[in-house]
Amino acid sequence: MLGHETATVTTGTARPTGRDEVFQVEEHGIDPIPDAERHGSAKDVFWLWFGSNLTFTYVINGALAVAFGLSFGQAAAVVVIGGLAFLAIGAAGLSGVRTGTATLVVSRAAFGRRGNWPAGLLNWIVSIGYTVVNTVVGTLALEAFLADLGWSGGHAPRALSLAVTLALTFAVALWGHATVQFAERWMAYVLAVGFAVLVVLVLPGADTSAPAAAPGAQAWSLAFVVVLAGPFSYLPMPADYTRYLPRTTSLKAVTRSAALGGFLSSVALGIAGAAAATQADMTDAVAGTEGLLPGWFQPLFLALVLGGSVTNSIITLYSSSLNLQVLGIPWSRARAIVISAAVTAAGSLGALFLTDFTTSLLSFLSLLIIVFAPWGGVFLADMVLRRCAYDSAGLHADTGGPYWYRSGWHPAGLTALLAGLVFSALTCDSELWTGPLVAPLGGADLTLLGAAVSALVYVLLARGRVAPYRP
């Protein structure tokens, strides 16, 4: 390994001594969680990923798969395969158990102390974008609920709906880790029952006939990109929620619990979305789905959309505050989250009042994978090469240490990331950008393979140069 100089270590925040308590502002940020303060079990990550993925975004994703030209059965198959991607999310959380710190701190091992900064910035930008998507969906649902009560017209109902959605998200994320996990678990109990009723009401009416024309490569590839965008967007987050688990926690149990939680909720709602798309116009997905439901359930449905949006936004907003500390913001996690909340509010205002939301959503999801797929390929490849064994102190070193490489930059990681980004950009087919290789490939979008490209390049460049940390 390169750069075994003496390390100058900082943690980004002072080492607090407070415990991780519900409804108390968490004092820890990206600093390693001491063994004495670790708690919980693998089942905690099941509820986190199950609850946070009970979000209407997956209904939209399933509907988009049908809109691209797939039949209900084909779209359902894509949704199921996409749900299996949560195995990677569960595996990525192993680094949190081993190091007691956040994912984007661990990724310094793959990119270098300084080289991790640009990748961290890109991840922060895209995670905020995903928070905006969910905030807008929740806002539109609450606005529709107000309209059913008789308050409609003008910007006031929408503005109030946005304020309420942001407040619910910000309050939980501000309190921190323990409150996030508590809220996700208890909201999951309620949302699971409500969404189960939704599936029962929508699924029987699905049109299972074959499409008029067999879908081509473009339809299949776009469907996979949209469906996998959700799971891939979590790759920079899993360790954020496993860093408090005791070091003795079973790594297999962590992977299994996280994967099962995300799979169950995302697949159930994705299939419901595909079923709804065969019965109604889903250009406005909330309105389209609502029209398929009996009158007695419609207000509850809108509450489910709002609740699901909030549960998903909570974890992305919380992780974004840790991300800002990784980027060097010299604030506590609780103060840093104000920046993410402000940017989320500004982005939501633009999406709600200045642009067409459906078009913006499709464009965003299509481009999302360009960043997350190659980054995830490098991160997971590095984790495998190191067998998830890291020098925790070295991860927090400002200079020197095992992850300093060449003046803080890891050529292998950055080269692999760039290779994956270039490949993904060349093969991306979205509203905002169409790569020059899309047409020669018959319209297929191969953006997802950017993960495989970056992982392969990293293994070729780093194998033999990186190894598990041995104290």
Side-chain angles (χ1 to χ4, degrees):
M1 299 208 25
L2 300 173
H4 283 82
E5 300 95 333
T6 302
T8 300
V9 181
T10 63
T11 62
T13 57
R15 282 182 174 271
T17 58
R19 296 183 59 82
D20 186 36
E21 301 286 353
V22 177
F23 301 131
Q24 293 185 18
V25 176
E26 178 191 5
E27 297 179 5
H28 284 293
I30 62 173
D31 53 293
I33 307 301
D35 287 345
E37 295 183 33
R38 295 206 187 191
H39 59 91
S41 65
K43 67 182 180 181
D44 293 334
V45 295
F46 168 84
W47 289 110
L48 177 89
W49 294 112
F50 179 68
S52 63
N53 285 285
L54 287 170
T55 174
F56 192 74
T57 303
Y58 287 106
V59 175
I60 298 175
N61 292 347
L64 287 173
V66 173
F68 291 141
L70 272 59
S71 68
F72 168 72
Q74 292 166 338
V78 170
V79 167
V80 171
I81 295 172
L84 294 175
F86 278 98
L87 283 168
I89 305 306
L94 304 182
S95 60
V97 179
R98 290 283 179 85
T99 65
T101 192
T103 307
L104 285 170
V105 174
V106 179
S107 65
R108 289 170 175 170
F111 301 104
R113 183 64 170 84
R114 292 173 175 167
N116 190 60
W117 199 94
L121 178 62
L122 285 174
N123 278 315
W124 180 78
I125 292 172
V126 181
S127 66
I128 288 297
Y130 219 85
T131 307
V132 169
V133 168
N134 282 289
T135 299
V136 170
V137 171
T139 297
L140 294 177
L142 184 53
E143 181 186 26
F145 180 79
L146 294 176
D148 290 343
L149 295 178
W151 187 21
S152 61
H155 293 317
R158 178 167 293 188
L160 176 62
S161 298
L162 175 60
V164 171
T165 304
L166 287 171
L168 291 173
T169 303
F170 177 73
V172 175
L174 176 65
W175 268 315
H177 176 266
T179 308
V180 167
Q181 293 215 325
F182 176 84
E184 294 293 347
R185 176 189 288 264
W186 285 98
M187 292 180 74
Y189 294 154
V190 177
L191 292 174
V193 173
F195 276 119
V197 174
L198 171 69
V199 172
V200 169
L201 292 174
V202 172
L203 195 58
D207 180 359
T208 58
S209 61
Q218 183 180 34
W220 282 103
S221 61
L222 287 175
F224 272 112
V225 167
V226 168
V227 168
L228 284 165
F232 268 79
S233 71
Y234 294 127
L235 277 172
M237 302 181 193
D240 302 359
Y241 303 100
T242 58
R243 72 194 204 280
Y244 277 92
L245 293 178
R247 294 181 191 274
T248 56
T249 305
S250 167
L251 301 185
K252 289 184 179 179
V254 169
T255 302
R256 183 171 57 248
S257 295
L260 182 61
F263 179 86
L264 289 176
S265 48
S266 66
V267 168
L269 296 184
I271 291 176
T278 66
Q279 305 170 64
D281 179 6
M282 295 288 282
T283 303
D284 181 340
V286 173
T289 305
E290 185 181 16
L292 297 174
L293 304 172
W296 63 268
F297 189 70
Q298 289 179 2
L300 296 176
F301 163 70
L302 295 175
L304 289 174
V305 176
L306 172 61
S309 299
V310 169
T311 61
N312 195 265
S313 294
I314 284 170
I315 67 166
T316 53
L317 188 61
Y318 172 80
S319 287
S320 72
S321 64
L322 297 176
N323 195 337
L324 287 174
Q325 287 191 315
V326 174
L327 293 176
I329 299 295
W331 291 357
S332 68
R333 180 207 60 82
R335 291 181 63 193
I337 204 171
V338 176
I339 298 176
S340 294
V343 176
T344 298
S348 300
L349 284 169
L352 286 165
F353 295 100
L354 301 177
T355 64
D356 175 75
F357 176 60
T358 302
T359 301
S360 300
L361 173 65
L362 180 58
S363 301
F364 176 73
L365 292 177
S366 298
L367 289 175
L368 179 72
I369 212 73
I370 291 179
V371 176
F372 281 117
W375 185 92
V378 175
F379 178 77
L380 292 174
D382 181 78
M383 193 173 73
V384 170
L385 289 178
R386 299 181 192 277
R387 299 179 185 175
C388 203
Y390 301 92
D391 179 351
S392 184
L395 290 172
H396 293 276
D398 275 343
T399 59
Y403 311 121
W404 187 243
Y405 305 109
R406 296 182 182 175
S407 300
W409 305 81
H410 190 196
L414 295 171
T415 300
L417 176 63
L418 180 61
L421 287 171
V422 169
F423 179 88
S424 294
L426 290 174
T427 59
C428 175
D429 183 16
S430 74
E431 294 286 333
L432 298 178
W433 167 257
T434 300
L437 295 184
V438 172
L441 291 169
D445 186 330
L446 302 182
T447 316
L448 291 170
L449 293 181
V453 170
S454 63
L456 177 61
V457 171
Y458 186 74
V459 170
L460 292 175
L461 294 177
R463 191 171 185 178
R465 294 175 176 267
V466 302
Y469 170 69
R470 302 186 186 283

